[in-house]
Structures are given as structure tokens and as C-alpha cells.
Amino acid sequence: MFNYKLLQETFSEVISNKYFEMFMMGIIVFSAMLIGIDTFNLDPVYEDIIFTLDRLITIVFVIEISIRITAYEKPWHFFKSGWNIFDFVIVTISLVPIDGNNSDVARLLRIFRVLRLITIMPELKGIINALFKSAKSIGYVLILMFIIFYIFAVSGTVFFAETKSGLWSDVGTALLTLFRVMTFEGWTEVMYETMEIHPWSWAFYLSFIFLTTFTFLNMIIGIILDTLNEEHKKENQEAENEEKQLLRDLIEQNRQLNEKIDKLEHTIAKHHKI
């Protein structure tokens, strides 16, 4: 007779096994490598081998996601986790056949398999969660950053509109020029061109760089690091609470066991007296 409970417990042990996790990590990395190799001009024989391996990897992914779903006491509870839904979607889109008219789309979709490393590695999960939780604070910094960009862009179109390169011809072009300056992509060339007209323009670029590259970007990094530290503290606190609860349960079980032993000894003593 089929015993679903036994199967569920077996699969639960399988997915929590470190060797199984390492195996799946290896499969994901190997899948990404195959996609990279397939971008080269290969002999048809090697293309057939890659095609076969890709199908085998897809089968492995389907089996693995099926095991994880079955590992839940109620399979539909698998979809209560956003990360599980993410994994399921990645596996589902990888089922798109790689041959035929949709071959380019299928190859493109398969590269997203490497994202499954995020769900397997808790450290990556923590980083992604920290990014989402810090999104609000980062958003405010980005708004302030855009205001600074806009002020400098309008100022640039006023002061440097005469430049021959046309880098300050309008606000849109000026915003792109400022982004180039912020990333240090040939920003000195832009500065030297404007200095031919306005020798003092170096102050414009240096103040912009200090405000954006050295201040706002570091603020964003600081926000993410603070959120990561908070997440680590929460995880450590949860682990401590679980250990304390386990210790309380053990103490309670020991107390109950001692009471049973005392009752048994009392019963035996009464029996001997009789």
C-alpha cells in the first residue's frame, strides 16, 4: 500500500541533505557553462551533445522541484513561499523546447537557471532580502540624487551650451553627460572642453563628483550594509530563541519523565509493602 507520509519524510530528508544541495549547485553551474559554450561556433556533433545534456539537466530540475513539492505535508504549501514560486517559474520556463522557431528565446530563458543559486545559498538569499527591505530608503536617496542631477544638468545647459561637442545642448543630453562624469568615463575630456570657455568649470565637476559618487553612492552602500547587519541579528536572535525553546522542551520532558519514574517507584514500593 502506498504510504505518502513515508515518501514525504524521505524527500524532506533528501532536500535537507548537504550533498543534495551541492549536487544541485553543480548542476546549475554546469547548465550555465553549457549555455556559454553553446554561443561558440561548434561542430554539429558537439551541438547534439550539448542539446542532449540540456534535456537531461531539464529532467533533473523537474525531478528536483517535484521532490521539493512532495516533501511538504500538503504539497500546495510549497507555493506559500515566494522563493519556491520563483524556483517553480524558472523550472517551468526552462521546459520551452530549444529546437524550432523559438530556439533563440529558449536559449535566452535557460540562462535564468543560474538564478536558482540564490534559492540554494542562504547567504545570497540574505543579500536579496536586504536589498528589498532597504529599497524604500534607497529610493529616497535616489530621488535626492536625481534632484542634484537635474540641477547640475540645467546649470550645465546654461553655462556650457557653447561647447562644440554638444554634450550640454539640452537637459536630456546633459543628464547623460553627468552620468558619464559620475562613472569617471572620460570625464576629464568633458571638463577640459568646458574649461576652454570657462576656466572655473573644474569646480562644477568636482562638486558634482563629491556629491554623487563619493556621497550618495556611499550612502546607498551604507543603507544596504545596515540592513544586512539587521538581518543577521534577526537570524541570530531567531536561532537563539529556537535553541532556548528546545532546551525548555527538553527540561519539560525530563521533568515529566522524572514524575513518571517517581510514580512508578511509589507504586512498586506500595506493592512490596502489601
Side-chain angles (χ1 to χ4, degrees):
M1 183 177 178
F2 178 74
N3 190 337
Y4 179 80
K5 183 66 175 178
L6 179 61
L7 183 66
Q8 179 257 325
E9 290 176 354
T10 303
F11 283 170
S12 181
E13 291 178 1
V14 169
I15 63 174
S16 61
N17 188 288
K18 288 292 182 182
Y19 293 105
F20 180 76
E21 291 181 0
M22 291 174 64
F23 171 74
M24 288 309 303
M25 286 176 60
I27 291 294
I28 293 169
V29 173
F30 182 64
S31 171
M33 290 175 62
L34 284 181
I35 295 169
I37 294 171
D38 195 36
T39 59
F40 294 93
N41 293 323
L42 301 173
D43 188 272
V45 176
Y46 295 115
E47 289 183 354
D48 291 339
I49 293 172
I50 291 175
F51 180 76
T52 303
L53 289 173
D54 181 81
R55 284 191 169 183
L56 290 174
I57 290 171
T58 302
I59 292 171
V60 170
F61 281 150
V62 171
I63 293 173
E64 184 257 351
I65 206 74
S66 301
I67 290 173
R68 289 177 57 192
I69 293 173
T70 310
Y72 282 78
E73 188 173 350
K74 295 178 180 179
W76 55 88
H77 287 178
F78 173 84
F79 297 97
K80 288 185 176 181
S81 168
W83 289 112
N84 288 343
I85 295 173
F86 176 79
D87 269 352
F88 185 82
V89 171
I90 294 293
V91 173
T92 302
I93 63 176
S94 68
L95 295 176
V96 177
I98 204 169
D99 53 349
N101 296 329
N102 298 324
S103 59
D104 293 337
V105 176
R107 286 188 176 90
L108 180 62
L109 292 176
R110 275 161 170 70
I111 192 58
F112 290 105
R113 286 172 173 174
V114 74
L115 292 175
R116 295 201 61 208
L117 285 174
I118 297 173
T119 58
I120 292 178
M121 300 178 70
E123 293 79 7
L124 294 181
K125 269 188 183 180
I127 293 173
I128 298 299
N129 286 331
L131 285 173
F132 279 115
K133 290 185 177 181
S134 59
K136 183 178 179 180
S137 299
I138 291 175
Y140 289 130
V141 175
L142 290 177
I143 290 172
L144 184 57
M145 195 171 179
F146 176 76
I147 293 172
I148 298 299
F149 258 83
Y150 192 76
I151 291 172
F152 273 83
V154 173
S155 302
T157 57
V158 173
F159 294 126
F160 312 133
E162 302 173 7
T163 54
K164 296 179 182 179
S165 62
L167 293 175
W168 304 96
S169 58
D170 54 65
V171 173
T173 305
L175 287 171
L176 290 175
T177 303
L178 288 173
F179 184 79
R180 173 182 173 182
V181 172
M182 186 187 71
T183 56
F184 300 122
E185 176 59 34
W187 74 278
T188 52
E189 298 174 6
V190 179
M191 182 181 67
Y192 290 145
E193 183 185 24
T194 57
M195 284 181 67
E196 292 177 0
I197 303 172
H198 302 287
W200 52 264
S201 62
W202 57 267
F204 175 90
Y205 295 98
L206 291 182
S207 59
F208 175 77
I209 289 172
F210 276 108
L211 279 173
T212 56
T213 307
F214 296 147
T215 303
F216 290 126
L217 291 183
N218 284 329
M219 286 174 64
I220 292 174
I221 294 170
I223 290 169
I224 295 173
L225 289 177
D226 285 341
T227 308
L228 274 173
N229 290 332
E230 290 177 4
E231 287 296 305
H232 286 313
K233 287 179 181 178
K234 286 181 181 178
E235 290 176 1
N236 293 334
Q237 187 63 43
E238 288 175 0
E240 288 179 5
N241 292 337
E242 288 178 1
E243 290 178 359
K244 289 178 181 178
Q245 185 60 43
L246 180 60
L247 184 59
R248 292 192 195 101
D249 293 340
L250 290 173
I251 292 172
E252 180 62 23
Q253 291 174 9
N254 185 58
R255 186 186 64 78
Q256 293 176 1
L257 182 61
N258 288 333
E259 287 179 356
K260 289 180 180 180
I261 292 172
D262 291 340
K263 288 179 181 179
L264 183 61
E265 289 177 347
H266 183 68
T267 303
I268 293 172
K270 283 181 68 177
H271 180 72
H272 283 309
K273 286 179 180 179
I274 293 171

